[in-house]
Amino acid sequence: MSESRPVLAVSDLCVSYGKVEALHHVSIRIRPGEIVTVIGPNGAGKTTMLGAIMGLLPRSRGEVVFMGEDQPAAEVEEMVARGVNLVPEKRELFGEMSVEDNLLLGAFMRRRQGFGDERETMAMVYETFPRLKEGYAFGR
Ligand SMILES: Nc1ncnc2c1ncn2[C@@H]1O[C@H](COP(=O)(O)OP(=O)(O)OP(=O)(O)O)[C@@H](O)[C@H]1O
Ligand SMILES: [Mg+2]
């Protein structure tokens, strides 16, 4: 497994807020099937690192390679379209929309990528997380 090509390779990543550098020279390799956890005290830079990988924050230095493709200045929308997702630590879902509508947003993206229509994706989600189906009316 350690010989396989990384799914995600981050090299020498630095991020600054204004003139203050908050993330210093971070490198990380994630190979197929691996679950990697980054731990550190408050303010260590975990959220900053994830934000910069996703394209939510600009990098001042460093390289992000996803599935062998360099992402020199990827926007968050492009990263999501490529299959990189960030689950926000705060309540950053669309709170004024229903759970179903939040899920449908993801389903539309999958349809665009050719992974089946909304109905198929929603069926898969509800099979994996049956609790979400409570109160679900889509397609009835
Ligand atoms: N928007 C911002 N503007 C300026 N400095 C910021 C901003 N966001 C974070 N920082 C600073 O960057 C550093 C890294 O913060 P970050 O939020 O990435 O840490 P974290 O490891 O996610 O912390 P926590 O465990 O509290 O979530 C901290 O010194 C923080 O004060
Ligand atoms: Mg954080």
Side-chain angles (χ1 to χ4, degrees):
M1 184 69 85
S2 61
E3 297 304 311
S4 51
R5 192 175 75 171
V7 174
L8 182 69
V10 176
S11 310
D12 203 22
L13 182 63
C14 300
V15 182
S16 297
Y17 294 103
K19 289 184 182 162
V20 179
E21 189 177 83
L23 195 73
H24 321 288
H25 308 282
V26 167
S27 296
I28 192 165
R29 297 265 178 289
I30 302 174
R31 294 194 165 78
E34 284 185 340
I35 295 174
V36 175
T37 307
V38 177
I39 56 172
N42 294 133
K46 304 177 295 292
T47 299
T48 301
M49 180 190 83
L50 293 174
I53 291 171
M54 281 304 291
L56 284 167
L57 293 171
R59 316 167 208 156
S60 48
R61 180 192 176 98
E63 199 178 54
V64 174
V65 176
F66 179 66
M67 300 297 279
E69 269 183 47
D70 190 15
Q71 316 290 330
E75 303 275 333
V76 66
E77 292 84 352
E78 294 166 34
M79 293 304 279
V80 171
R82 281 171 199 154
V84 187
N85 291 282
L86 177 68
V87 179
E89 63 194 292
K90 297 180 192 136
R91 296 186 181 110
E92 292 172 24
L93 294 167
F94 297 100
E96 71 285 1
M97 290 165 43
S98 66
V99 170
E100 180 188 347
D101 284 343
N102 270 281
L103 290 169
L104 276 169
L105 282 177
F108 288 130
M109 174 67 84
R110 284 176 57 84
R111 184 179 65 180
R112 266 191 229 136
Q113 294 170 328
F115 290 115
D117 66 13
E118 303 86 87
R119 197 171 300 262
E120 288 169 292
T121 295
M122 295 295 270
M124 189 182 72
V125 169
Y126 290 131
E127 194 185 330
T128 311
F129 303 104
R131 188 79 204 262
L132 294 176
K133 199 167 180 176
E134 290 168 22
Y136 161 59
F138 183 74
R140 277 191 202 151

